[in-house]
Amino acid sequence: MRSPNRTNQYRRTTSLVRDSSLVWLAGGIVGVSFGAVSVAGGLPVWVPVLMSLVVYAGSAQFSAVGVLLAGGGPLAAAATGLLLNTRTAAFGLAVADLLGPGRATRLLGAHLVTDETVAFALAQPDQSRRRAAFWISGLGLFAVWNAGVLAGALAGTALGDTGRYGLDAAFPAVLAALVLPALRSDRGVRRAALLGAAIALTVTPAVPAGLPVLLALAALVTLPAVRR
Amino acid sequence: MNATGVMILALALGTYAFRLVGPALHGRVEIPARVQELASAGAVVLLVALLATGALTENGGFAGWARPAGVLTAVVLAWFRAPFAVVVLAAATATALLRAAGVG
């Protein structure tokens, strides 16, 4: 009885690809603006392109380039980016069991851990679908992100002000669509998440970029799993 | 290799090390169910904090009204289970329209 299984798997793959494609589209557009912003600020094309391949973390890349363009120097740029990326350690723990048992898949999968892919995978209803979602979303986003950055870097300043298209609202909107099911179903997590968001917003004006989101984790103490 | 190249490689190596913590521990160290439960709750808390700061702030200050209004549109639509594509496109469209109307 292999063929019904195979049909189900095919259906699942196409539905995950369909749902991921908007995450990819949003990522690709942000990638184009990253490439364009970097080159328009005076960096050579290879800087955003290499960074996107080996760092592969949008917010850290924007911040590192922002520090460079503001004259902050490479050391400050790397420190800012690293601080922002400490959260990927928590994400790596959350998706570790989705990467499979092999050493190669774990080494490759770790590089694909991003905000969007983790949110997309965890939003799926069961374990095998979560695993498929991680790889489909992760590999697709890696391809689209890097293609977008290259295109943006080559196009340079021809795009004009990307804020005009409202694209800066797309990334938080993607996160909203992906985390709402988890917030709806679990009251304890909802309370912790709202408290965490309040903490992050309160400290944002006072602390370096990257820290507010980490401080939000303090809200986990309200969970019964911690208190008992 | 110039200083910018070294910065990119240092950032890449550090980021990869962070990402590898979870997958490297998995299967080698017995992770208690409570810690795993906390890790997935922690992921949701981080994502919601990113959502809130990404919607409302820019470089440590207020991002203006257009972006949070677009994101609020997305939250309302997602709450009523609108399709993913509708949620994301509505957010960008609302923000773009507000900016075209002169709202920051």
Side-chain angles (χ1 to χ4, degrees):
Chain A
M1 295 298 283
R2 280 177 63 193
S3 69
N5 260 338
R6 223 184 260 175
T7 317
N8 279 343
Q9 209 169 14
Y10 176 75
R11 274 207 203 113
R12 185 180 72 185
T13 306
T14 43
S15 90
L16 285 173
V17 167
R18 196 182 51 226
D19 289 351
S20 304
S21 55
L22 227 90
V23 179
W24 298 339
L25 181 66
I29 292 166
V30 177
V32 169
S33 50
F34 174 71
V37 164
S38 308
V39 172
L43 293 171
V45 170
W46 68 266
V47 169
V49 170
L50 175 67
M51 203 188 244
S52 300
L53 283 168
V54 299
V55 178
Y56 184 51
S59 58
Q61 292 179 220
F62 268 107
S63 314
V65 162
V67 172
L68 276 186
L69 294 180
L75 199 66
T80 307
L82 279 176
L83 182 58
L84 275 165
N85 281 342
T86 43
R87 68 172 183 275
T88 58
F91 287 142
L93 272 173
V95 298
D97 59 340
L98 302 182
L99 304 186
R103 176 184 289 240
T105 57
R106 272 187 276 170
L107 290 178
L108 175 65
H111 191 53
L112 301 179
V113 171
T114 58
D115 306 332
E116 296 94 326
T117 292
V118 169
F120 185 70
L122 295 182
Q124 307 306 320
D126 62 78
Q127 183 72 4
S128 80
R129 206 180 146 95
R130 275 198 279 272
R131 183 168 297 154
F134 177 85
W135 287 103
I136 290 171
S137 163
L139 290 170
L141 188 61
F142 186 79
V144 172
W145 170 255
N146 283 290
V149 171
L150 180 62
L154 294 175
T157 47
L159 290 167
D161 176 18
T162 48
R164 199 155 37 107
Y165 313 115
L167 299 176
D168 50 323
F171 174 65
V174 164
L175 292 181
L178 292 174
V179 299
L180 264 175
L183 292 185
R184 199 202 297 270
S185 64
D186 189 326
R187 215 167 131 225
V189 170
R190 182 164 68 223
R191 200 171 39 201
L194 291 178
L195 178 61
I199 295 172
L201 287 173
T202 310
V203 300
T204 293
V207 300
L211 266 188
V213 171
L214 290 179
L215 292 173
L217 286 175
L220 285 174
V221 299
T222 62
L223 288 179
V226 181
R227 282 183 301 178
R228 80 172 162 243
Chain B
M1 176 85 65
N2 62 11
T4 307
V6 174
M7 180 277 279
I8 292 174
L9 290 187
L11 180 53
L13 285 175
T15 300
Y16 188 65
F18 286 135
R19 284 174 164 146
L20 205 55
V21 171
L25 287 181
H26 190 72
R28 230 167 273 186
V29 183
E30 188 65 41
I31 301 174
R34 242 175 83 183
V35 174
Q36 269 180 353
E37 197 186 319
L38 264 185
S40 48
V44 174
V45 170
L46 282 172
L47 290 168
V48 172
L50 271 179
L51 156 63
T53 51
L56 289 164
T57 68
E58 175 84 48
N59 297 326
F62 182 50
W65 291 104
R67 192 196 301 167
V71 178
L72 185 64
T73 311
V75 169
V76 171
L77 286 169
W79 187 260
F80 290 105
R81 300 173 202 263
F84 187 65
V86 173
V87 172
V88 177
L89 293 177
T93 308
T95 300
L97 287 177
L98 283 172
R99 291 217 174 105
V103 180

Short mmCIF file of all heavy atoms in Angstrom, two decimals, chain A residues 20 24-25 40 48 58 75 81 152 192:
data_model
loop_
_atom_site.label_atom_id
_atom_site.label_comp_id
_atom_site.label_asym_id
_atom_site.label_seq_id
_atom_site.Cartn_x
_atom_site.Cartn_y
_atom_site.Cartn_z
N SER A 20 4.66 28.10 2.39
CA SER A 20 6.00 28.70 2.55
C SER A 20 6.24 29.81 1.55
O SER A 20 7.04 30.71 1.81
CB SER A 20 7.12 27.68 2.30
OG SER A 20 6.99 26.58 3.10
N TRP A 24 8.73 32.99 1.74
CA TRP A 24 9.86 33.20 0.82
C TRP A 24 9.76 34.55 0.14
O TRP A 24 10.74 35.28 0.02
CB TRP A 24 9.90 32.10 -0.25
CG TRP A 24 10.09 30.74 0.28
CD1 TRP A 24 10.63 30.40 1.50
CD2 TRP A 24 9.75 29.51 -0.36
NE1 TRP A 24 10.63 29.04 1.64
CE2 TRP A 24 10.11 28.46 0.52
CE3 TRP A 24 9.19 29.18 -1.60
CZ2 TRP A 24 9.91 27.11 0.20
CZ3 TRP A 24 8.99 27.84 -1.92
CH2 TRP A 24 9.36 26.82 -1.03
N LEU A 25 8.53 34.88 -0.34
CA LEU A 25 8.34 36.14 -1.05
C LEU A 25 8.72 37.31 -0.14
O LEU A 25 9.48 38.20 -0.53
CB LEU A 25 6.88 36.26 -1.51
CG LEU A 25 6.55 37.53 -2.30
CD1 LEU A 25 7.30 37.52 -3.62
CD2 LEU A 25 5.06 37.64 -2.55
N ALA A 40 23.94 50.97 -1.80
CA ALA A 40 23.65 52.40 -1.85
C ALA A 40 24.45 53.15 -0.78
O ALA A 40 24.82 54.30 -0.97
CB ALA A 40 22.15 52.64 -1.65
N PRO A 48 27.47 42.46 1.02
CA PRO A 48 26.15 41.90 1.34
C PRO A 48 25.97 40.46 0.83
O PRO A 48 25.30 39.65 1.49
CB PRO A 48 25.17 42.85 0.65
CG PRO A 48 25.97 43.61 -0.35
CD PRO A 48 27.36 43.69 0.21
N GLY A 58 18.77 37.87 8.73
CA GLY A 58 18.41 39.20 8.23
C GLY A 58 18.65 40.34 9.20
O GLY A 58 19.35 41.30 8.87
N LEU A 75 34.59 45.75 14.42
CA LEU A 75 34.45 45.07 15.70
C LEU A 75 33.06 45.31 16.28
O LEU A 75 32.36 44.37 16.70
CB LEU A 75 35.53 45.57 16.67
CG LEU A 75 35.80 44.65 17.86
CD1 LEU A 75 36.41 43.34 17.39
CD2 LEU A 75 36.73 45.34 18.86
N GLY A 81 25.87 42.23 15.62
CA GLY A 81 25.27 41.10 14.92
C GLY A 81 25.21 39.86 15.80
O GLY A 81 24.21 39.16 15.85
N GLY A 152 19.32 42.74 -5.35
CA GLY A 152 19.28 44.08 -4.77
C GLY A 152 20.62 44.78 -4.84
O GLY A 152 20.71 45.98 -5.14
N ALA A 192 2.79 34.62 29.04
CA ALA A 192 4.24 34.82 29.05
C ALA A 192 4.68 35.65 27.84
O ALA A 192 5.53 36.55 27.96
CB ALA A 192 4.96 33.47 29.07
#
